[in-house]
């Protein structure tokens, strides 16, 4: 590593440490006026050890969790001070800050936890896994055919809530000796029952196109991002057409690994601003807000990369184009929807307007889309996924009661951890 790179790394580390200390001080002042959940009140916890950069992973669960909390008390466990500050502002369910392992142990001792939900594969999840008298359930932060969806880490959880038949088949192909039928429970996409939000524009006769690219990835096999390869060209074409409205929602981690990728992202944002200044009626949108839903429901066509956004959009049953990765090293699982989807290559980015017209009007494309919607999510009528989510929770609650009765007379041994780690803003972020 060059001296310049080492200096840059040292500066970033110092900034992160200072930011973490500042957040701790701010949080201490805030928590002085916050009443934590009463002992003996929380049955379901959502464990989130990540920093604020990955809050998008839990935000999409806010609405389903709020609805679930009406039946079973729910709390979010935060381990990062910055994350906790944000959760205090926006979480619809109580959040608790448990920075040290001893804090975590105290919470587990005080609360009658039955189920712990996990939205990512952060390595620090293992600090929670050691508690055995509760179900540890991976719910993920989206459905996709990315390599992340079939890691052997699934075996660390007691159960996994998955979207549907496609997810089960994906796990069956990839994981050896994993009991799909008893461990993987299909619930559909309950977030889709809460797709809402005020439109930041006045609807008119323009075709609304959501462009929602992912980040550049941290390794060649996960280089799915299209901002640098497709994004500038396709956005330029849509802005020039005069008959399209662009909603641009880039992944919040765009540019964290590759500065050039971040620069391309900034140029797209600037192009949208110039187009709106030239024609205020266009009402193009740069969307970096925490709320996800209205974009998916409002867009006539969505353009996404290989990411959870493909499947968030698929759950709406509406037209979608997928940017084919420019890198030949990007791993593509073509055994599912990606083997039959409507691709947009980097070379075709300049032809995005006729591609959009085609997926909007083609009967064949529509019928193919509907086949895959059902395969991935099952029944997508409003409320169906929420009912399946709640039914899965109730099944595990009943299973917990059965197991607790079976082990009622077992001696209770300490599950304490001698290695007490702090969670700081400079901790490695979780898988995105």
């Amino acid at each position: 590593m060059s001296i310049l790179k080492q200096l840059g790394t040292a500066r970033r580390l110092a900034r992160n440490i200072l930011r973490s200390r500042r957040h701790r001080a701010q949080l201490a002042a805030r928590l002085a006026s916050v009443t934590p959940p009463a002992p003996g009140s929380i049955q379901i916890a959502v464990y989130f050890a990540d920093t604020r950069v990955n809050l998008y992973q839990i935000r999409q669960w806010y609405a389903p969790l709020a609805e679930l909390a009406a039946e079973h008390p729910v709390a979010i466990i935060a381990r990062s001070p910055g994350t906790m500050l944000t959760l205090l502002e926006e979480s619809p369910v109580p959040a608790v800050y448990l920075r040290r392992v001893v804090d975590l142990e105290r919470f587990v001792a005080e609360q009658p936890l039955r189920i712990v939900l996990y939205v990512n594969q952060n390595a620090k999840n293992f600090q929670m896994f050691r508690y055995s008298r509760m179900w540890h359930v991976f719910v993920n932060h989206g459905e996709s055919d990315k390599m992340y969806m079939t890691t052997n880490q699934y075996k660390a959880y007691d159960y996994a809530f998955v979207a549907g038949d496609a997810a089960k088949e994906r796990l069956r192909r990839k994981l050896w000796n994993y009991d799909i039928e008893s461990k993987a429970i299909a619930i559909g996409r309950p977030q889709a029952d809460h797709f809402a939000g005020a439109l930041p524009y006045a609807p008119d006769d323009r075709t609304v196109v959501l462009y929602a690219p992912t980040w550049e990835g941290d390794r060649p096999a996960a280089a799915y991002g299209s901002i640098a390869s497709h994004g500038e060209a396709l956005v330029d074409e849509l802005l020039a057409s005069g008959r399209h409205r662009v909603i641009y929602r880039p992944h919040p981690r765009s540019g964290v690994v590759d500065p050039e990728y971040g620069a391309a992202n900034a140029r797209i944002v600037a192009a949208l601003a110039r187009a709106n200044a030239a024609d205020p009626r266009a009402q193009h949108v740069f969307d970096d807000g925490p709320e996800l839903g209205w974009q998916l429901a409002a867009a006539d066509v969505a353009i996404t990369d290989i990411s959870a956004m493909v499947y968030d959009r698929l759950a709406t049953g509406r037209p979608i184009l997928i940017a084919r990765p420019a890198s030949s090293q990007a791993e593509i699982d073509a055994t599912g929807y990606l083997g039959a989807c409507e691709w947009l290559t980097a070379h075709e980015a300049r032809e995005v307007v006729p591609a959009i017209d085609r997926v909007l009007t083609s009967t064949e494309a529509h019928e193919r889309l509907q086949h895959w919607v059902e395969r991935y999510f099952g029944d997508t009528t409003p409320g169906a996924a929420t009912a399946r989510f709640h039914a899965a929770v109730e099944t595990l609650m009943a299973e917990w009661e059965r197991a607790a009765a079976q082990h009622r007379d077992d001696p209770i041994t300490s599950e304490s951890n001698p290695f007490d780690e702090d969670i700081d803003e400079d901790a490695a972020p979780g898988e995105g």
Side-chain angles (χ1 to χ4, degrees):
M1 182 183 293
S2 70
I3 292 177
L4 287 177
K5 278 194 171 182
Q6 291 181 44
L7 288 173
T9 300
R11 282 195 295 268
R12 285 194 298 274
L13 182 59
R15 283 197 303 268
N16 287 342
I17 291 173
L18 290 173
R19 183 175 65 237
S20 179
R21 290 175 178 173
R22 184 173 66 252
H23 287 163
R24 287 189 193 182
Q26 294 171 351
L27 182 56
R30 281 292 310 275
L31 289 178
S33 60
V34 174
T35 302
S41 65
I42 301 299
Q43 295 181 324
I44 299 175
V46 186
Y47 184 83
F48 190 74
D50 243 308
T51 56
R52 286 201 284 198
V53 71
N54 283 331
L55 270 169
Y56 72 94
Q57 296 172 340
I58 198 166
R59 281 177 174 138
Q60 61 184 265
W61 279 101
Y62 280 173
L65 290 173
E67 192 164 337
L68 180 63
E71 300 176 15
H72 298 285
V74 177
I76 298 173
I77 295 173
R79 307 290 307 279
S80 153
T83 295
M84 184 63 181
L85 283 167
T86 302
L87 289 172
L88 289 173
E89 295 293 333
E90 63 184 39
S91 173
V93 299
V96 293
Y97 177 52
L98 307 176
R99 180 173 67 86
R100 301 173 303 166
V101 171
V102 67
D103 301 325
L104 186 61
E105 290 176 350
R106 185 180 304 113
F107 183 79
V108 169
E110 291 178 348
Q111 301 296 344
L113 295 178
R114 305 292 187 262
I115 297 173
V116 182
L117 307 176
Y118 300 81
V119 300
N120 63 23
Q121 300 281 23
N122 191 298
K124 294 180 176 69
N125 288 358
F126 276 86
Q127 290 187 332
M128 189 73 196
F129 281 164
R130 71 179 184 276
Y131 299 112
S132 60
R133 292 173 176 260
M134 59 194 71
W135 301 131
H136 299 274
V137 182
F138 185 50
V139 298
N140 214 332
H141 54 275
E143 163 71 351
S144 78
D145 284 311
K146 291 169 69 173
M147 56 188 290
Y148 172 74
M149 300 297 296
T150 54
T151 70
N152 213 48
Q153 290 159 303
Y154 268 80
K155 295 178 182 177
Y157 303 89
D158 296 302
Y159 299 94
F161 289 173
V162 300
D165 290 342
K168 286 188 173 184
E169 289 185 10
R170 189 188 307 124
L171 292 171
R172 190 175 288 111
R173 288 194 307 272
K174 296 287 187 177
L175 299 187
W176 293 1
N177 199 31
Y178 181 64
D179 188 349
I180 300 291
E181 296 311 314
S182 66
K183 299 297 185 182
I185 303 173
I187 64 169
R189 185 68 173 153
Q191 291 89 336
D193 288 333
H194 302 276
F195 284 168
L199 296 181
Y201 58 85
D204 53 22
D205 60 352
R206 287 182 181 246
T207 298
V208 178
V209 180
L210 168 64
Y211 177 40
T214 193
W215 65 307
E216 62 270 35
D218 57 1
R219 55 199 177 279
Y224 299 120
S226 68
I227 289 176
S229 56
H230 301 59
E232 290 186 86
L234 73 85
V235 169
D236 284 348
E237 292 299 313
L238 294 173
L239 296 181
S241 76
R243 59 187 181 91
H244 295 89
R245 172 168 297 114
V246 177
I247 302 172
Y248 178 52
R249 185 181 173 86
H251 192 289
R253 290 177 58 80
S254 296
V256 299
V257 172
D258 182 358
E260 285 302 312
Y261 196 89
N265 175 51
R267 288 192 293 270
I268 292 175
V269 175
L272 294 173
R274 288 194 301 271
N276 282 336
D279 180 10
R281 296 171 301 174
Q283 303 177 86
H284 301 296
V285 179
F286 165 51
D287 173 38
D288 62 350
E291 187 176 57
L292 176 62
W294 64 265
Q295 309 90 334
L296 296 162
D300 297 299
V301 174
I303 303 172
T304 78
D305 297 340
I306 297 176
S307 72
M309 288 295 289
V310 170
Y311 306 90
D312 288 341
R313 174 63 178 189
L314 194 63
T316 71
R318 305 187 69 193
I320 181 171
L321 287 165
I322 301 176
R324 191 175 190 95
S327 171
S328 61
Q329 297 182 67
E331 185 174 297
I332 301 174
D333 183 354
T335 58
Y337 176 57
L338 297 183
C341 67
E342 308 291 339
W343 288 113
L344 183 71
T345 67
H347 178 72
E348 296 166 336
R350 290 287 177 191
E351 302 300 319
V352 67
V353 171
I356 286 172
D357 291 342
R358 176 177 56 79
V359 297
L360 281 172
T361 59
S362 168
T363 299
E364 179 184 355
H366 175 76
E367 290 176 350
R368 184 164 53 244
L369 177 68
Q370 295 309 309
H371 165 78
W372 288 104
V373 168
E374 183 173 349
R375 187 145 188 77
Y376 274 80
F377 298 101
D379 184 359
T380 58
T381 56
T386 293
R388 294 171 75 188
F389 174 43
H390 288 207
V393 168
E394 295 304 329
T395 295
L396 295 192
M397 285 290 187
E399 183 65 13
W400 186 94
E401 295 290 349
R402 184 200 64 76
Q406 180 180 347
H407 295 279
R408 182 177 294 114
D409 298 326
D410 290 357
I412 297 177
T413 57
S414 173
E415 296 179 297
S416 62
N417 184 355
F419 303 103
D420 187 355
E421 294 185 21
D422 290 350
I423 306 293
D424 284 344
E425 290 294 306
D426 55 322
E431 172 73 71

